[in-house]
Amino acid sequence: MSSGAGDGHPPVEIRTLALEGPPADIPALCARVSEACRDGPAHVVCDVRAVTEPGLATVDALARMALTARRHGTPFRVTGADGRLLALLRLVGLVELLGETEEREPPVGVEEGVEADDLPV
């Protein structure tokens, strides 16, 4: 899959893999990711719309697939996640796989910058 061809920008290649059902063979899934990362696509996307019963095995498979892509220097994203899988990914801190940024509490002991003309509260 490519995008950007008609807008004056060079095409960007995005390779999509589908995850269906409970992941049975994680090494085989990671091998598929490695294959998809050949020739340096811009992104590898895993479509999980067919996953009907997401669980920790699904989260584990996605995390390992993302790590495999990262080792190849290729960004990895998940698309088509239902509410249950979204909740699991957020729970384990893998929200970045969805292309979202996680809102975090500021580290303890770090203060915001104060401007000289700020009034005390």
Side-chain angles (χ1 to χ4, degrees), residues 19-24 50-53 58:
L19 184 62
E20 301 169 357
V51 176
T52 57
E53 295 296 325
T58 304

Side-chain angles (χ1 to χ4, degrees), residues 16-68:
T16 304
L17 304 172
L19 184 62
E20 301 169 357
D25 189 359
I26 292 176
L29 291 172
C30 291
R32 286 177 54 201
V33 172
S34 290
E35 181 67 29
C37 290
R38 286 196 191 186
D39 306 323
H43 298 282
V44 171
V45 176
C46 184
D47 185 344
V48 295
R49 284 181 281 186
V51 176
T52 57
E53 295 296 325
L56 292 179
T58 304
V59 172
D60 182 43
L62 291 171
R64 290 173 186 266
M65 293 167 74
L67 183 58
T68 299

Side-chain angles (χ1 to χ4, degrees), residues 10 38 43 46 51 69 79 82 90 98-99 103-104 109 114 119:
R38 286 196 191 186
H43 298 282
C46 184
V51 176
T79 187
D82 70 5
R90 286 189 177 108
L98 302 168
E103 291 186 28
R104 298 182 180 179
V114 178
L119 297 175

Side-chain angles (χ1 to χ4, degrees), residues 44 46 59 61-67 70 76-79 89 93-100:
V44 171
C46 184
V59 172
L62 291 171
R64 290 173 186 266
M65 293 167 74
L67 183 58
R70 185 177 298 158
F76 181 86
R77 258 185 325 130
V78 173
T79 187
L89 290 172
L94 292 175
V95 70
E96 73 271 3
L97 295 182
L98 302 168
E100 301 174 7

